[in-house]
Amino acid sequence: MTIALEQDIDPKLIPILEEVHDPEIPVLSIMDMGVVRFAHMKDNIAQIKITPTYSGCPAMDVMGDDIIHAFAKANIKAKVSLVLSPAWTTDWITHRGRKALEEYGIAAPLNEEADKEALLNNKKIVKCPQCRSTNTKMVSQFGSTACKALFKCDECLEPFDYFKCLK
């Protein structure tokens, strides 16, 4: 079951939020990641609520600091808080974000069923972001971060991360 991303974001704040990038995947803004849940001005302070990509993600503190810094550059004070429910899902990564992942060399997440087939049954369905071949194999369940798996392409011989489907 897919949980819809419920966002309540003042459109005037979006350009500032799009300046803030995921510290682990710098080609993705926090808007592309879908972690911003709420962003409005109240009493001249930008109130921002973000959802962690997973419990205990160390990047969330950095994201929070980066949000405050981005708003400070625009001479706006910001307050950042975490929203834990509903939990973040890779379904919330935007189309633009998925494209940016692929161009950066990280295979975008598949749907939940396909993800299990790729990670547990070694099905050749993860596309290499370099040559687009599905003649790939998992090297390790864990890649450069816990949310990624390490794959290798048997066509172009390049290793690459696959962003696991998280629900």
Side-chain angles (χ1 to χ4, degrees):
M1 180 172 102
T2 300
I3 299 172
L5 172 60
E6 291 184 29
Q7 294 176 298
D8 184 6
I9 300 173
D10 181 338
K12 295 176 196 158
L13 301 180
I14 291 174
I16 298 171
L17 293 166
E18 286 180 336
E19 297 278 322
V20 180
H21 295 273
D22 182 310
E24 295 174 338
I25 310 171
V27 297
L28 294 181
S29 75
I30 58 174
M31 295 299 291
D32 289 329
M33 287 293 292
V35 300
V36 179
R37 301 288 290 286
F38 179 91
H40 282 278
M41 294 297 296
K42 183 178 179 188
D43 300 325
N44 292 321
I45 298 173
Q47 305 288 328
I48 313 297
K49 294 180 182 179
I50 57 177
T51 297
T53 52
Y54 69 93
S55 178
C57 176
M60 297 314 293
D61 289 337
V62 175
M63 283 184 203
D65 291 344
D66 289 350
I67 291 168
I68 290 169
H69 181 70
F71 277 91
K73 282 179 28 183
N75 294 317
I76 300 170
K77 185 175 179 180
K79 179 183 176 200
V80 178
S81 56
L82 295 182
V83 177
L84 303 178
S85 180
W88 181 83
T89 167
T90 49
D91 290 344
W92 294 354
I93 300 173
T94 66
H95 177 71
R96 182 176 72 187
R98 289 172 182 276
K99 186 175 180 201
L101 277 172
E102 298 281 339
E103 290 172 357
Y104 188 63
I106 299 172
L110 300 169
N111 65 47
E112 189 173 9
E113 185 177 316
D115 183 81
K116 287 178 183 174
E117 289 293 312
L119 296 174
L120 302 177
N121 298 325
N122 295 314
K123 297 281 174 132
K124 293 185 175 282
I125 53 178
V126 175
K127 285 184 184 174
C128 172
Q130 311 304 324
C131 72
R132 311 298 299 155
S133 171
T134 57
N135 188 12
T136 62
K137 65 182 173 194
M138 185 176 60
V139 175
S140 173
Q141 284 262 348
F142 298 98
S144 59
T145 61
C147 60
K148 295 183 217 115
L150 180 62
F151 275 72
K152 182 180 177 206
C153 179
D154 287 333
E155 293 295 321
C156 69
L157 304 178
E158 288 293 322
F160 64 93
D161 274 335
Y162 161 65
F163 201 116
K164 298 175 193 172
C165 175
L166 300 174
K167 297 283 182 182

